[in-house]
Amino acid sequence: MAVAVSWTVTAVLAEIASKRLGASELNVLRMIFSMFMLAVTLYFYTGNAMPQYMPAEGWLWLSLSGFMGYAFGDYCLFNSYLIIGSRFGQLFMTLASPFAALSSFLLLGERMGTLAILGMLLTITGIGMSILNRGAAEEGQKKKFTLKLPLKGVLLGLGAGLGQGVGLVLSKMGMNRYESALAALSPDVDHLQEIIQAVPFSSTMVRAITGLVCFSAVLFIQGKAQHFREGLHDRKGMIVAFVMTIFGPFVGVSLSLMAVQYTAAGIAQTIMATTPILIMAPSYFLFHQKITWKEILGAIISIIGVSLFFV
């Protein structure tokens, strides 16, 4: 539940910071901030600012997770905030649970129950209720459903859900390899217990390194390096980005990896999927967004669908 709260705070701050600094610029900043925080945390735990004794397979899967979760998923998510706002962006994140379940089934062999199909249908139905309108009927024809959101924003939201769900499962694969490598070490290794306790933070560090490399490449390809340098002088934007990093890539991601470390990836993702409900209050009071009962019901149905995925 703490992860869901962290994601809610992160989403609200990210919408503010993205509009001030730009999505790509913000992603580079938060990777730098998160790597600094993670390095301090790892040094405090283990006496070393970087992951220790991580095997090549662990680096591989966690790097792939960083690419899917950060470089692809967060790129889509933060750009969706600019088009459809954080509330709808987080609604699409409920799709991360079906994507996580499918990925867990294919990559980890985690069982998918018969309720999984019903859960998927409910999740899609809930999202549909929130983003579709019925247009006026033409003579002799039925009313047609139309998107009340820009198509680009919807596609970005879908990409964000895909990246988050697949990235979570890849993280679990990487941490499994890392934990196996640590278990094979001699008990006399210095700070071994502390290193084991810090596995989620070490794993997040690998993902953040991958994210920084990818986001920096995107920033230069887009020709936004100068705009990034100018954004460093935006004091309010920098403060928001820093606080957002505390709740997002540092606390939120590390807690999410702790969740998948101690339970099935799908169950962890279900609990984290409550963000679309939690974010409605700040969206209403801070951004003065109109929220309809249909949208509230749609979000609730989506989350119910997510929960059924892992019954």
Side-chain angles (χ1 to χ4, degrees), residues 152-166:
K152 183 178 179 181
V154 171
L155 293 176
L156 287 169
L158 291 171
L162 174 65
Q164 175 73 11
V166 176

Side-chain angles (χ1 to χ4, degrees), residues 18 22-25 27-28 30-31 66-83 93 152 155-157 159-161 163-164 211 214-219 221-222 224:
S18 293
S24 296
E25 294 87 340
N27 277 317
V28 171
R30 73 193 187 97
M31 290 299 103
F67 174 78
M68 285 301 299
Y70 282 151
F72 177 73
D74 281 1
Y75 175 85
C76 291
L77 181 63
F78 279 60
N79 279 280
S80 76
Y81 288 166
L82 297 175
I83 301 173
M93 291 296 279
K152 183 178 179 181
L155 293 176
L156 287 169
Q164 175 73 11
C214 293
F215 284 132
S216 297
V218 170
L219 190 73
I221 290 172
Q222 292 178 332
K224 293 183 177 180

Side-chain angles (χ1 to χ4, degrees), residues 85-152:
S86 56
R87 180 164 59 93
F88 283 110
Q90 284 298 312
L91 178 63
F92 277 103
M93 291 296 279
T94 58
L95 290 173
S97 297
F99 284 129
L102 290 171
S103 301
S104 295
F105 173 73
L106 294 172
L107 299 176
L108 297 177
E110 292 185 359
R111 188 179 65 87
M112 287 179 61
T114 56
L115 289 176
I117 295 177
L118 177 59
M120 179 179 292
L121 291 175
L122 279 177
T123 301
I124 295 172
T125 298
I127 293 175
M129 287 179 62
S130 298
I131 69 172
L132 293 175
N133 277 330
R134 265 196 152 177
E138 297 181 8
E139 188 175 347
Q141 295 183 349
K142 294 182 179 179
K143 291 182 178 180
K144 294 182 178 179
F145 285 103
T146 58
L147 280 174
K148 67 180 182 182
L149 300 174
L151 178 59
K152 183 178 179 181

Side-chain angles (χ1 to χ4, degrees), residues 41-53:
T41 302
L42 286 174
Y43 186 81
F44 175 79
Y45 263 100
T46 68
N48 195 307
M50 292 296 291
Q52 299 181 69
Y53 307 110

Side-chain angles (χ1 to χ4, degrees), residues 12-26:
V12 173
L13 295 178
E15 182 173 350
I16 297 171
S18 293
K19 291 175 179 177
R20 293 186 67 93
L21 302 173
S24 296
E25 294 87 340
L26 176 60

